[in-house]
Amino acid sequence: MTSTDPTTPSKREYATPTFQTTRLTFTPLAQTDATALHELRSAPECMKWSRQGRPDASVAETQKWLDGSLAEVTAEAEADTAGPAESRNSRPDPRKDVVFAVRELSHVESGAAEDRIVAQAGFRKAKSEVTGVERFEIGYMFVPGVWGKGYASEAAQGMVRWWFELYPGDSESEKPEGIYSIVAKANPASLRVMEKCGFQLVAEGVDDHGEEVVEFCMNNE
């Protein structure tokens, strides 16, 4: 895996490092990604596990979701990077809230004219529906056409490495933040991915939609 060195975002510039795994490349979602992203967000098999719970009906709806998501991330970044430098240094790094567009490296390197996003993945600060603890949640979903290739495990492992390399904690008072994932019990493939990647089961419960779920957590220890 390769990654760029972290950079310090300013109020006018929000930069998130990109990285790649053996077969996948991760770049922050952009406003121009709606058409390529629609294949994923229009798939009922994928969106049933999302918070939205249903597929996007059109590229326009995908664009609307994308614009809203990017606006939220940008607003958080600008709020966190505004003000004196000494104040900014004490605030959370705004790059921690990020949604990546995941593409197949072979497709990118082939120079294919048609762009294709095979997954949406990222991290967001959220309170767990199971334990009530607030920390960063890791999430991902892949288009059905690439299921069975082992991409989910590869992506999760790559994201975990990226996270703990970028945010290892610099002192005894700055401990690395753990990450967690909420997985439906009815989704055995994702349960296996969490176990394979070294996440530990910490609790079971029911989410806001009445679905039986399991919470997994990982700390950089």
Side-chain angles (χ1 to χ4, degrees), residues 45-87:
E45 310 96 308
C46 298
M47 294 300 288
K48 71 178 181 179
W49 304 115
S50 71
R51 287 178 177 79
Q52 180 172 298
R54 61 167 180 81
D56 289 350
S58 63
V59 174
E61 186 173 6
T62 299
Q63 185 72 65
K64 182 178 180 180
W65 173 86
L66 185 55
D67 291 344
S69 178
L70 294 176
E72 182 178 347
V73 169
T74 300
E76 291 173 354
E78 291 187 349
D80 284 339
T81 56
E86 60 272 17
S87 175

Side-chain angles (χ1 to χ4, degrees), residues 5-221:
D5 293 330
T7 58
T8 302
S10 68
K11 186 173 182 179
R12 294 182 178 274
E13 181 181 2
Y14 174 47
T16 299
T18 62
F19 67 97
Q20 68 183 49
T21 59
T22 303
R23 298 175 294 170
L24 303 170
T25 179
F26 296 72
T27 57
L29 274 175
Q31 286 183 314
T32 54
D33 285 335
T35 299
L37 186 63
H38 185 64
E39 178 186 355
L40 172 67
R41 292 190 58 87
S42 62
E45 310 96 308
C46 298
M47 294 300 288
K48 71 178 181 179
W49 304 115
S50 71
R51 287 178 177 79
Q52 180 172 298
R54 61 167 180 81
D56 289 350
S58 63
V59 174
E61 186 173 6
T62 299
Q63 185 72 65
K64 182 178 180 180
W65 173 86
L66 185 55
D67 291 344
S69 178
L70 294 176
E72 182 178 347
V73 169
T74 300
E76 291 173 354
E78 291 187 349
D80 284 339
T81 56
E86 60 272 17
S87 175
R88 294 199 304 267
N89 291 338
S90 66
R91 297 174 184 171
D93 192 317
R95 291 169 295 175
K96 289 182 176 180
D97 280 294
V98 58
V99 182
F100 289 107
V102 184
R103 295 172 170 88
E104 291 177 294
L105 192 57
S106 60
H107 186 79
V108 174
E109 293 178 338
S110 72
E114 182 182 3
D115 186 20
R116 190 185 188 214
I117 293 173
V118 297
Q120 172 186 317
F123 297 91
R124 72 181 191 110
K125 192 69 172 285
K127 183 178 290 186
S128 164
E129 298 169 88
V130 179
T131 61
V133 177
E134 185 177 56
R135 51 183 172 236
F136 280 87
E137 180 181 15
I138 182 175
Y140 60 86
M141 56 182 180
F142 281 82
V143 296
V146 300
W147 291 0
K149 293 186 175 183
Y151 281 169
S153 295
E154 181 177 327
Q157 290 169 343
M159 291 168 68
V160 166
R161 288 195 299 270
W162 174 82
W163 177 268
F164 286 122
E165 285 176 6
L166 199 58
Y167 308 112
D170 297 326
S171 65
E172 290 186 3
S173 61
E174 185 184 348
K175 300 297 184 182
E177 295 186 71
I179 52 180
Y180 79 98
S181 178
I182 302 293
V183 181
K185 283 188 175 182
N187 189 356
S190 287
L191 293 173
R192 288 193 296 271
V193 169
M194 291 294 101
E195 293 168 352
K196 183 176 181 179
C197 292
F199 281 77
Q200 301 298 312
L201 191 157
V202 294
E204 297 184 16
V206 178
D207 67 12
D208 294 340
H209 302 289
E211 184 86 34
E212 290 188 341
V213 295
V214 176
E215 180 173 340
F216 292 90
C217 184
M218 177 182 288
N219 295 301
N220 189 25
E221 297 178 346

